[in-house]
Amino acid sequence: MKTILEPSREIPVFDEADVLVIGSGPGGHSAAIAAARAGAKKIVLVERYNHLGGMVSGGFVVLIPHLSFNDQVMVKGLQQEWIDRMEKLDKGAFGPRPEQAGSTDPEVMHKYDGHWGFAVNNNVNYGSYLDPDMLKVVLDEMVEEEKAITTYLHCWGVGAVMDGDEIKGVIIESKEGRKAIMAKIVIDGTGDADILAFAGGTYDDDRDLNLRNANTAGVYRLGGLDFDKYAKWKAANPDEWYKKHSVKLMEMVGFRMSPHSFPRNDQCWINNWIPKYCLDVKDLTETDMSVRRTMFQAIEYMKENLPGFENAHLIDIAPQTGTRGSRRIHGIQTLSDADIKEPNHYDDVVSVVPPFNFGVSQSPTEVPYGVIVPQKIDNLLIAGRSFSSTRFANDWSNLVPHCSTLGQAAGVAAAIALQEGVKVRDVNVKKLQDILREQGQYLPR
């Protein structure tokens, strides 16, 4: 590869913070809010797009799934606050109530026939579909209510300011050029562990193309539907969908795709699974263009063949490319295959993943604090799907709610580290757990 020599230059310091969060997806947004509510004095939240929320709001991955196990809701805290706020808006959210978790009532079960994610192991699984544009407003409101948080949109983290193995800040790029934001603690909420990589931290980025997290997506939204009609048909005729129409659509477009519920019955979102890598520019480009290249052909097929889709039309295309997995940091602890299959009990548990595929796991997975603490880099925490894990373990524990809970833990840990004058790897985990409970999060003990 040819190279050029870039001359050195002075970088102006744009801002300074106690806690700097790069990326505002479910992990980063929750980290910023949690840090503020745990007492951090100045938090800066940086986001490269024009909105907060990451894959949920910008990627149109509007499902917040698998929040319960039997009748126990196990993902609460800030993730629950998202849903509570959205339910106050007209058609902001769709799904069962928390108290319906574990219900086997046929009437309740029938209401959610064909709406993916709400029935697991023959009982109601708590979760919610959220309107992505309404969510952008709600997430803005949440950060604006916390006076300790300063938010900068349209900024991209592109480098780390280091003193040996200790991170001191992040280089950002924007329309204003290249600048630095200095911080006592940095939380990497990029999803891809970009900041850790810039800082020289170590990680795995191997992929298994048989796993969900090895795929990208280009999501789009359709209107003019009667989705409940489609959902009831699909529930009554699963073979016709899975063995006929799903197969034909895949043959037509070149990748697996599927319609999913939306808070409005007259709309849905089209999810897809494209075996490309989200850290490869050529793969990202092909993901987006291949979806757009085949979109109208797919819509016509659905109009002609799927009940409820007779008058379907394109509304919009997600502004963010769907990403599911990339770098996984080397942490002081690692979530393993065994943790998913035969869950362990961790004294430093900060998040719980309810089982949602009983062929893989039949009991909740406890996630320890150490998976968000890098082995090498000091005063850096990870919020989101790039936590320390095997490929398989990551695939089963990196959905939206899991990222939110780990982000909440990172934000609280950062606040404690600042208050007690310790490194994030030395945080009092008992105090961290106590504050997480105070913030409404579920922990098993």
Side-chain angles (χ1 to χ4, degrees):
M1 178 183 293
K2 293 181 179 180
T3 63
I4 62 168
L5 181 63
E6 185 177 16
S8 61
R9 51 180 166 168
E10 289 188 346
I11 304 296
V13 174
F14 181 64
D15 206 344
E16 298 182 60
D18 292 325
V19 180
L20 170 60
V21 183
I22 304 294
S24 72
H29 187 275
S30 294
I33 297 292
R37 293 180 182 177
K41 299 302 182 186
K42 183 175 182 183
I43 301 115
V44 170
L45 177 61
V46 172
E47 169 56 50
R48 65 170 166 149
Y49 291 99
N50 74 340
H51 55 265
L52 309 176
M55 283 297 100
V56 190
S57 60
F60 287 6
V61 184
V62 303
L63 173 59
I64 312 296
H66 313 311
L67 305 182
S68 64
F69 174 51
N70 295 330
D71 62 353
Q72 175 64 63
V73 178
M74 292 184 169
V75 180
K76 296 182 179 180
L78 291 169
Q79 187 67 99
Q80 184 65 56
E81 185 173 334
W82 285 24
I83 298 171
D84 292 344
R85 288 176 179 242
M86 291 291 290
E87 285 181 340
K88 295 176 181 177
L89 303 175
D90 182 33
K91 296 182 175 63
F94 167 72
R97 299 294 307 144
E99 58 270 19
Q100 293 176 318
S103 174
T104 58
D105 184 328
E107 185 175 344
V108 176
M109 294 286 288
H110 181 64
K111 179 179 179 181
Y112 300 111
D113 283 347
H115 295 279
W116 192 89
F118 293 155
V120 174
N121 202 32
N122 298 313
N123 61 58
V124 172
N125 188 247
Y126 179 52
S128 189
Y129 286 89
L130 306 180
D131 183 288
D133 293 320
M134 293 184 190
L135 181 63
K136 293 172 187 175
V137 178
V138 165
L139 297 181
D140 281 357
E141 290 173 349
M142 289 177 70
V143 296
E144 288 173 343
E145 287 168 6
E146 304 297 336
K147 301 307 179 185
I149 299 176
T150 299
T151 303
Y152 298 120
L153 304 178
H154 305 285
C155 300
W156 196 320
V158 298
V161 182
M162 302 296 297
D163 181 1
D165 287 334
E166 185 172 350
I167 193 165
K168 294 291 188 180
V170 173
I171 305 295
I172 63 167
E173 291 269 11
S174 72
K175 287 291 187 178
E176 297 182 22
R178 191 175 180 91
K179 297 182 179 181
I181 300 178
M182 307 303 289
K184 296 173 183 175
I185 295 175
V186 176
I187 298 178
D188 185 338
T190 62
D192 297 311
D194 289 343
I195 306 307
L196 173 117
F198 292 137
T202 57
Y203 55 85
D204 294 315
D205 61 358
D206 53 321
R207 303 164 66 215
D208 180 348
L209 292 179
N210 294 311
L211 296 177
R212 174 192 58 86
N213 60 5
N215 291 265
T216 54
V219 174
Y220 54 98
R221 184 163 43 170
L222 301 182
L225 310 175
D226 181 347
F227 193 85
D228 196 54
K229 178 181 177 182
Y230 162 76
K232 295 292 190 288
W233 166 83
K234 179 183 173 184
N237 303 276
D239 284 352
E240 189 172 352
W241 164 250
Y242 288 106
K243 295 182 180 180
K244 179 181 177 181
H245 297 306
S246 177
V247 172
K248 287 190 175 181
L249 279 166
M250 182 174 179
E251 291 172 349
M252 178 186 302
V253 303
F255 46 82
R256 188 161 62 94
M257 58 175 288
S258 177
H260 286 271
S261 311
F262 198 78
R264 296 173 55 113
N265 185 53
D266 62 346
Q267 296 182 10
C268 78
W269 56 289
I270 305 297
N271 201 2
N272 42 61
W273 295 263
I274 303 171
K276 299 292 182 181
Y277 190 37
C278 64
L279 297 186
D280 185 307
V281 172
K282 292 180 180 178
D283 276 7
L284 286 170
T285 301
E286 179 57 21
T287 293
D288 292 323
M289 296 189 75
S290 66
V291 170
R292 293 194 291 267
R293 187 185 306 131
T294 59
M295 182 180 299
F296 291 129
Q297 187 180 7
I299 294 171
E300 284 303 311
Y301 181 90
M302 289 185 280
K303 288 173 65 175
E304 293 172 5
N305 292 280
L306 302 186
F309 277 70
E310 294 84 359
N311 298 308
H313 59 84
L314 178 68
I315 296 178
D316 51 10
I317 303 169
Q320 289 183 231
T321 306
T323 58
R324 294 183 170 100
S326 58
R327 300 185 187 100
R328 307 182 311 280
I329 73 161
H330 291 164
I332 61 175
Q333 290 171 275
T334 299
L335 199 70
S336 69
D337 294 13
D339 287 320
I340 302 294
K341 295 175 181 177
E342 298 179 6
N344 293 310
H345 294 293
Y346 286 104
D347 290 338
D348 60 341
V349 57
V350 294
S351 173
V352 176
V353 179
F356 53 92
N357 182 326
F358 280 70
V360 175
S361 177
Q362 298 184 14
S363 55
T365 297
E366 296 186 7
V367 184
Y369 174 61
V371 304
I372 64 173
V373 182
Q375 288 180 2
K376 181 181 177 184
I377 308 300
D378 280 329
N379 287 331
L380 177 66
L381 289 167
I382 301 299
R385 61 176 166 78
S386 50
F387 63 93
S388 182
S389 49
T390 62
R391 293 177 305 188
F392 178 84
N394 189 273
D395 194 56
W396 290 102
S397 55
N398 81 352
L399 300 177
V400 170
H402 317 142
C403 294
S404 177
T405 57
L406 290 179
Q408 189 165 359
V412 172
I416 293 172
L418 289 168
Q419 291 158 6
E420 299 190 348
V422 299
K423 294 181 178 180
V424 293
R425 67 183 67 248
D426 299 322
V427 159
N428 182 325
V429 176
K430 178 64 168 60
K431 184 172 183 179
L432 167 60
Q433 293 168 327
D434 288 344
I435 296 175
L436 286 173
R437 290 189 186 93
E438 291 171 6
Q439 292 191 356
Q441 188 53 279
Y442 168 86
L443 294 176
R445 59 193 170 276

